[in-house]
């Protein structure tokens, strides 16, 4: 399988701070997604980003597929950003299992 | 937006019971997946399906079975629930990216 490593494992911020989360993967992939798991356990899709850069409000993501990493940027963090951020990758066209990283636990204090 | 609906948020069952977890998606996706999530072990794939009546084992299929009689519905079945199946169960759907349901926290007592 594909190894997915996320860093840092834990991150504690004050509201308003910026942060960068990193995802490294061990092999070429066709797809990469960033998810946020909220305190109730739901996995919410943030970005589908096999390559390039995307932005959605205060969040943006960049994937450099040739160098096998992706970055998630959170700007002006808010307490509602707290939770676990997962990176997941797979290869194959439509069928293929997702390989998840262990996640980054983000805590934002007011 | 794609919607993936899991029938229950919380479920408590007794050891030995047969348990059905239901998942419905509304975007005509061929692919559907069942995961369980446990502290320290991350998300693990139980079963997936790439078409009606088709199923493939994931990484931890033992003690589980699945049913896909209609394209929009993928059911996970615990034939005889055991305490080590207490977990968070997550269903997902998608042909490229994946969309997850809100999860079912199952407790087996």
């Amino acid at each position: 399988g594909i190894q997915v490593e996320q860093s840092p494992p834990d991150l504690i911020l004050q509201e308003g701070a910026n942060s960068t989360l990193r995802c490294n993967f061990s092999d070429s992939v066709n797809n990469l997604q960033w998810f946020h798991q909220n305190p109730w356990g739901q996995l919410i899709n943030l970005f589908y980003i096999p390559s390039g850069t995307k932005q959605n409000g205060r969040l943006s993501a960049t994937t450099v597929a040739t160098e096998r990493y992706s970055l998630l940027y959170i700007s002006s963090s808010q307490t509602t950003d707290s939770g676990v951020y997962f990176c997941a990758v797979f290869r194959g066209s439509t069928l293929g299992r997702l390989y998840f990283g262990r996640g980054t636990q983000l805590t934002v204090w007011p | 937006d794609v919607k993936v609906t899991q029938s229950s948020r919380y479920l408590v069952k007794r050891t030995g019971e047969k348990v059905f977890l239901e998942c419905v998606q509304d975007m005509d996706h061929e692919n559907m997946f069942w995961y369980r999530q446990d502290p320290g072990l991350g998300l693990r794939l139980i079963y997936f399906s790439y078409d009606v009546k088709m199923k493939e084992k994931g990484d931890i299929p033992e003690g589980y079975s699945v049913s896909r009689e209609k394209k929009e519905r993928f059911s996970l079945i615990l034939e005889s629930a055991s305490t080590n199946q207490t977990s968070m169960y997550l269903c997902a759907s998608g042909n490229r990216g994946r969309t997850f349901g809100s999860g079912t926290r199952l407790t087996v007592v």
Side-chain angles (χ1 to χ4, degrees):
Chain A
I2 303 172
Q3 307 302 312
V4 181
E5 293 182 1
Q6 291 186 244
S7 59
D10 296 281
L11 190 55
I12 300 173
L13 301 172
Q14 191 126 35
E15 213 167 20
N18 302 328
S19 60
T20 301
L21 282 58
R22 187 177 179 101
C23 172
N24 293 331
F25 42 96
S26 62
D27 206 343
S28 59
V29 298
N30 298 107
N31 183 21
L32 184 144
Q33 278 186 272
W34 282 98
F35 294 94
H36 175 219
Q37 189 166 38
N38 63 25
W40 297 272
Q42 183 167 11
L43 273 170
I44 297 165
N45 180 43
L46 298 176
F47 293 102
Y48 166 80
I49 184 166
S51 63
T53 297
K54 290 186 176 180
Q55 177 145 14
N56 184 4
R58 297 181 295 103
L59 272 59
S60 64
T62 295
T63 297
V64 183
T66 52
E67 297 187 24
R68 299 181 188 170
Y69 74 88
S70 183
L71 302 172
L72 177 69
Y73 306 95
I74 304 174
S75 65
S76 304
S77 57
Q78 301 175 357
T79 56
T80 51
D81 294 332
S82 296
V84 184
Y85 289 80
F86 288 101
C87 167
V89 302
F90 71 86
R91 51 182 176 212
S93 53
T94 59
L95 181 63
R97 62 183 63 190
L98 273 180
Y99 295 91
F100 281 86
R102 288 306 183 105
T104 293
Q105 173 76 58
L106 174 65
T107 304
V108 181
W109 294 99
Chain B
D1 274 354
V2 178
K3 195 152 185 176
V4 179
T5 303
Q6 293 184 232
S7 51
S8 306
R9 287 298 298 273
Y10 300 94
L11 212 51
V12 179
K13 295 291 182 181
R14 295 196 181 276
T15 301
E17 275 192 77
K18 190 168 187 175
V19 181
F20 292 85
L21 302 182
E22 306 286 347
C23 176
V24 178
Q25 52 99 357
D26 65 358
M27 280 300 289
D28 204 37
H29 288 150
E30 279 77 29
N31 301 329
M32 296 186 74
F33 306 82
W34 275 105
Y35 292 85
R36 64 178 282 178
Q37 186 179 23
D38 302 286
L41 296 176
L43 280 96
R44 293 179 291 170
L45 181 64
I46 305 171
Y47 266 98
F48 63 99
S49 169
Y50 51 89
D51 205 348
V52 175
K53 296 192 186 296
M54 305 303 285
K55 61 186 179 186
E56 291 283 344
K57 293 180 180 179
D59 299 318
I60 50 164
E62 295 78 19
Y64 303 94
S65 62
V66 290
S67 172
R68 186 125 182 242
E69 295 296 318
K70 293 185 178 182
K71 194 173 190 179
E72 67 270 18
R73 187 179 296 269
F74 191 35
S75 303
L76 180 69
I77 303 156
L78 287 64
E79 297 290 343
S80 177
S82 63
T83 54
N84 63 12
Q85 292 178 308
T86 292
S87 186
M88 174 68 144
Y89 290 87
L90 291 157
C91 174
S93 158
N95 292 344
R96 291 197 307 166
R98 302 285 189 261
T99 298
F100 281 81
S102 54
T104 296
R105 289 194 186 274
L106 173 67
T107 302
V108 183
V109 297

